[in-house]
């Protein structure tokens, strides 16, 4: 079991460029979560999929951010026209069933927007 | 609103000393709050340390304990005798059993360094 895999581990983009972050959940897990971590805000929930369907995106910024889960083996978080304030560590987690099941976190992707 | 506040770090403790990391929560819109401590050891991903889903109950793991106190809205993490290997960042978190943790609230984390 390789755990949750996130790629890339580090990404540097210029202001205005697009960034796509990838997450591969643990095989067999049906729920995927995305979080953003900054020093100022701490860990913030962004969005949640269960069985590939978007369930709750209440934490997603309304503009420029989007997430998809085209199949059970990966999810993507896309940020269009990146801004310096998007710089953060983006964490992906998966759980067996969603609900009360324990979430297993990936190592995160550190995004730096210059 | 719903939120979690925990001890601001960094915290430095000598090996074999006792530890308490404070955590208080606000769950105004959560019908069935569940409380968690997550930990991130150096070079590793965030992982669950312990969780308690019922008020009044105590969770324990790896020598750490935390009691879910609904009256004081607290979930403090304690250990009687810390070890150097406990050096890590600890996060208190609040979830909603009713909604399946769709919205999961984390504290900002407390960095702990244990001096040998």
């Amino acid at each position: 079991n390789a755990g949750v895999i996130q790629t890339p581990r580090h990404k540097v983009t210029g202001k205005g460029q697009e960034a796509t972050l990838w997450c591969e959940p643990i095989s067999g897990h049906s729920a995927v979560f995305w979080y953003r971590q900054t020093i100022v805000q701490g860990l913030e929930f962004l969005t949640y999929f269960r069985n590939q369907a978007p369930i709750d995106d209440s934490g997603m910024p309304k503009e420029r951010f989007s997430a998809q889960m085209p199949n059970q083996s990966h999810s993507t978080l896309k940020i269009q026209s990146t801004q310096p304030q998007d710089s953060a560590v983006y964490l992906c987690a998966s759980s067996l069933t969603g609900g009360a099941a324990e979430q297993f976190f990936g190592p995160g992707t550190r995004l730096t927007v210059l | 609103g719903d939120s979690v506040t925990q001890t601001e770090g960094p915290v430095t403790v000598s090996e074999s000393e006792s530890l308490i990391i404070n955590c208080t929560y606000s769950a105004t819109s959560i019908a069935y709050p569940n409380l968690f401590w997550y930990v991130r050891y150096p070079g590793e991903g965030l992982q669950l340390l312990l969780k308690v889903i019922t008020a009044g109950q105590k969770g324990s793991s790896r020598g750490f304990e935390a009691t879910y106190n609904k009256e004081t809205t607290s979930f403090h993490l304690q250990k009687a005798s810390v070890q150097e290997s406990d050096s890590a960042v600890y996060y208190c978190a609040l979830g909603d059993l009713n909604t399946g943790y769709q919205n999961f609230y984390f504290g900002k984390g407390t960095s702990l360094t244990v001096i040998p």
Side-chain angles (χ1 to χ4, degrees):
Chain A
N1 186 344
V4 175
I5 298 172
Q6 290 189 249
T7 56
R9 294 293 305 276
H10 304 274
K11 186 171 182 66
V12 180
T13 65
K15 183 178 175 181
Q17 293 184 327
E18 181 178 287
T20 300
L21 312 180
W22 294 70
C23 171
E24 181 179 329
I26 293 172
S27 178
H29 282 194
S30 66
V32 170
F33 303 78
W34 283 97
Y35 297 88
R36 176 171 63 181
Q37 183 173 27
T38 61
I39 292 174
V40 173
Q41 298 294 334
L43 258 167
E44 302 173 280
F45 167 84
L46 294 176
T47 189
Y48 161 53
F49 295 85
R50 188 169 62 223
N51 294 324
Q52 299 171 233
I55 302 298
D56 182 354
D57 66 354
S58 59
M60 291 278 274
K62 298 306 179 190
E63 298 179 355
R64 304 185 295 106
F65 282 64
S66 62
Q68 294 183 328
M69 191 161 184
N71 58 58
Q72 64 185 5
S73 64
H74 88 272
S75 174
T76 58
L77 178 67
K78 183 180 293 186
I79 309 171
Q80 296 178 312
S81 186
T82 54
Q83 303 297 310
Q85 61 264 32
D86 299 331
S87 297
V89 176
Y90 291 83
L91 292 172
C92 176
S94 71
S95 71
L96 191 60
T97 58
E102 176 183 351
Q103 295 181 37
F104 294 82
F105 285 80
T109 295
R110 180 176 295 278
L111 174 67
T112 301
V113 182
L114 302 176
Chain B
D2 304 314
S3 64
V4 173
T5 303
Q6 64 181 97
T7 299
E8 288 194 20
V11 172
T12 302
V13 179
S14 296
E15 201 164 32
S16 77
E17 287 189 348
S18 64
L19 169 74
I20 181 166
I21 299 176
N22 290 328
C23 172
T24 57
Y25 67 90
S26 171
T28 55
S29 65
I30 295 177
Y32 302 99
N34 308 131
L35 295 166
F36 307 77
W37 279 100
Y38 276 81
V39 59
R40 174 156 44 215
Y41 297 104
E44 299 184 16
L46 199 61
Q47 57 186 274
L48 180 66
L49 179 60
L50 56 87
K51 76 174 183 181
V52 178
I53 63 173
T54 305
Q57 298 296 310
K58 179 169 68 177
S60 60
S61 174
R62 306 178 204 177
F64 288 89
E65 296 182 338
T67 300
Y68 180 169
N69 190 320
K70 190 174 182 180
E71 287 68 38
T72 59
T73 62
S74 66
F75 192 56
H76 306 321
L77 183 68
Q78 301 183 70
K79 188 170 186 180
S81 177
V82 296
Q83 302 172 334
E84 191 177 357
S85 57
D86 294 326
S87 296
V89 182
Y90 293 82
Y91 296 86
C92 185
L94 167 70
D96 184 353
L97 179 64
N98 200 41
T99 63
Y101 310 149
Q102 269 90 306
N103 208 335
F104 211 69
Y105 300 89
F106 281 88
K108 293 190 176 181
T110 301
S111 177
L112 171 68
T113 300
V114 179
I115 299 173

